[in-house]
Each structure stands twice: as C-alpha cells, then as structure tokens.
Amino acid sequence: MGSRADGVVVGVDESDGALNAARWAGVVAARLGKTLHIVHGLGNVGHQLTGTVAAIRAAATVSQRDSAETIVRSAVAAVHSQSPDLKVTALSTDMPVVDILLQLTNTARMIVVGGSHVTAAGALFLGSTTLAVATRASCPVVAWRGQNTAPTDQPIVVGVDESPSCTSALENAFEFAERFGVKLAAVHAWRMRCAVGGVSNPLLIDWDLVATAVRRQLTDRVDRHSQRHPDVEVSCNLETSDPSSALLNQIDLDGAQLVVVGNRGRNTLTSAVLGSTTLNLLHHSPVPVMICRAPQ
C-alpha cells in the first residue's frame, strides 16, 4: 500500500454514479498532482451475520469475480476520457470494499465514493458503504452526488462549528477553493434559544449583541485559515436554523459545487438514529459532500 501514499482513491462498482465519481476524482487528482487509485471490492450486504447474509455474500463474491475486470476497465477508461495524462492504478479484490477503503485512508489524500443517496433506514438496517467509510476514515471522504463529473467554477460551502473536526473541514475547503480558483462560503448555524437553567425570559436577552458575538467567533475562526490562503475569496454567513438546513439553503443560494463538513466521530448506528448533519447532507445534498475528521 505504500505506493499509494497521498493519492486520491475512488471506490467503484457497476453503477453510473460510481463511474461519474471516478471521473470527478480523476480531475481532482490531476489538479492536486496526485495519482488516482481505482478500487473495486465486495459490496456492503449488511451488518447482520445470518445464514442469509452469508449466502448473499458468497453469491456476490462469485458474481464480482466475473464482472470485476469489466468494471475496473470501464472506470479507467472513463477517467482517461477526461484526464488522459493522469496516472491511474486499479485494484480488484474479494475483500469487502469498506475494509479496503478504510485501509487506504491511512495513506490516501482523499477517498471518493459514488452511488445512491444514504437514508436513515438504509444506514441502520442495510448498511451503507458511504456512511461506513465516512464515519471511520482518517482522511477526507467525498460522497459524490449530482451531475458534474468535474469540479466547476461554482463556490464551495463549508460548515463551521465548535467541533475539533471543523478545523480539518475549513483547511480542506480552503485548499480545494484555492486549487480550483473558486469562492468559499463559510456557514455557521445557531438557534436563538435559552439553555437549561439560563435566563427564563428571552425578552431579557439582547439577541443582537449575541448575534454579533457569534459572528465575531465565526469570522475569527475563518480568518485564521484565510491568512494561509489569501487568494481565496471567502464570505461568512450566520444562519438561525439547524446546520443541515443552513448548509442546504446556502448550496441553493450560491449554486455551490461542493459542501464540506466535519465528522464528529459518531458510529454508523448513532448517526442513523440521531439524524446527524452529515447523514442529512448525504441524504439530501444535490452536490458532492466532503466529510472531514478531526486530526488524530
């Protein structure tokens, strides 16, 4: 795996979404000056280790071996159709695709996956390759969505909060914006509500003063990254709504091409049950979603 260090990795299957994700990943790899590594593995058939699942897994392995060469060859051709000079490697394995992708996150610059949107029920009962990788990866994971098979000149949206993973989200969002010469919109969502045990009468709170303080915190956090990426034009947006709604609204408002968020490290089951911001975006976002984990 050492030869894959710092490359962009994309997981592919027989779907059109996977081919489009590979095309998108290829353009990103070329712009970053990285090799693209195409990976094809056994699909995710669920978490319940029953006899039925074991039979499905065995049948899937046989089917995969028959179609793997065609899938990988198609992915390589799709990538080279847009990025003819890009160095591409390909790997097909009987390992579950989640396992091989998670192994590669230790050295990859980025993992890209494509396919259907993630639903809460699907994540909880059937399992999701996207969610399984995104919640456990040590590098950024991009869930490809939408129609664009290459980054565009449209803005990028990044969610900003107080979590440690936000630092990674901001750094990756700024780097992407800088590489592709696009604008960046930083979004922080907050609610005008009283904490338990706080002021009982909301009329006694100077909400304008609170909003000013929250906006100052947002701009201070963004400014630290702007100093390292002075060529990126960035705006700070304060929204009085839940985080996923605020980000989705900003995507629509800006016509954004990518949304970047931090991952707080929840497991798949917790994310599905609680309906986290990440899960909501994976389900509803019309554009690729980049999920970044806090530095270890």
Side-chain angles (χ1 to χ4, degrees):
M1 298 299 178
S3 62
R4 301 179 185 278
D6 293 330
V8 174
V9 176
V10 59
V12 299
D13 56 20
E14 69 280 0
S15 68
D16 291 338
L19 288 180
N20 288 333
R23 293 185 180 99
W24 187 91
V27 176
V28 172
R31 184 62 64 91
L32 294 176
K34 305 294 184 183
T35 299
L36 179 69
H37 306 292
I38 296 174
V39 176
H40 174 61
L42 185 63
N44 191 0
V45 295
H47 303 294
Q48 304 299 321
L49 301 179
T50 64
T52 300
V53 170
I56 294 173
R57 191 184 300 276
T61 301
V62 173
S63 176
Q64 179 214 6
R65 288 171 180 163
D66 293 340
S67 59
E69 183 178 350
T70 300
I71 292 172
V72 170
R73 185 168 59 246
S74 297
V76 172
V79 169
H80 278 153
S81 69
Q82 285 191 194
S83 308
D85 298 325
L86 179 66
K87 181 179 179 181
V88 178
T89 70
L91 170 67
S92 178
T93 174
D94 289 344
M95 289 179 60
V97 67
V98 170
D99 293 346
I100 187 64
L101 289 177
L102 287 175
Q103 283 187 14
L104 294 173
T105 65
N106 295 321
T107 54
R109 174 64 184 83
M110 178 189 303
I111 300 285
V112 181
V113 291
S116 59
H117 290 215
V118 176
T119 65
L124 180 56
F125 296 111
L126 300 178
S128 161
T129 296
T130 301
L131 198 61
V133 175
T135 54
R136 296 157 59 191
S138 55
C139 70
V141 175
V142 175
W144 182 87
R145 300 285 184 268
Q147 303 297 324
N148 294 325
T149 59
T152 68
D153 58 359
Q154 297 165 292
I156 294 169
V157 172
V158 58
V160 181
D161 58 20
E162 297 78 24
S163 68
S165 61
C166 176
T167 299
S168 178
L170 279 167
E171 184 56 37
N172 280 281
F174 266 94
E175 180 180 359
F176 199 102
E178 185 175 61
R179 291 279 184 173
F180 288 90
V182 298
K183 298 178 181 179
L184 179 63
V187 179
H188 176 71
W190 70 298
R191 292 290 187 90
M192 292 188 295
R193 62 175 64 174
C194 298
V196 175
V199 178
S200 59
N201 186 353
L203 297 178
L204 298 178
I205 300 175
D206 187 339
W207 290 112
D208 289 338
L209 184 62
V210 173
T212 298
V214 173
R215 181 175 294 278
R216 184 180 301 113
Q217 292 174 351
L218 170 61
T219 55
D220 287 347
R221 190 155 200 176
V222 170
D223 282 347
R224 289 195 290 270
H225 295 271
S226 292
Q227 292 173 10
R228 294 195 292 271
H229 303 274
D231 294 333
V232 175
E233 182 180 339
V234 58
S235 62
C236 292
N237 304 272
L238 198 61
E239 300 290 339
T240 54
S241 63
D242 65 273
S244 57
S245 295
L247 291 169
L248 290 169
N249 288 339
Q250 194 69 42
I251 291 171
D252 291 339
L253 182 64
D254 287 352
Q257 63 164 314
L258 174 72
V259 57
V260 184
V261 292
N263 170 36
R264 297 181 179 225
R266 293 172 175 169
N267 59 41
T268 303
L269 178 62
T270 303
S271 294
V273 172
L274 296 181
S276 68
T277 299
T278 299
L279 184 61
N280 285 333
L281 287 172
L282 290 175
H283 181 35
H284 295 292
S285 176
V287 299
V289 181
M290 179 186 289
I291 305 150
C292 305
R293 191 172 183 177
Q296 301 300 301

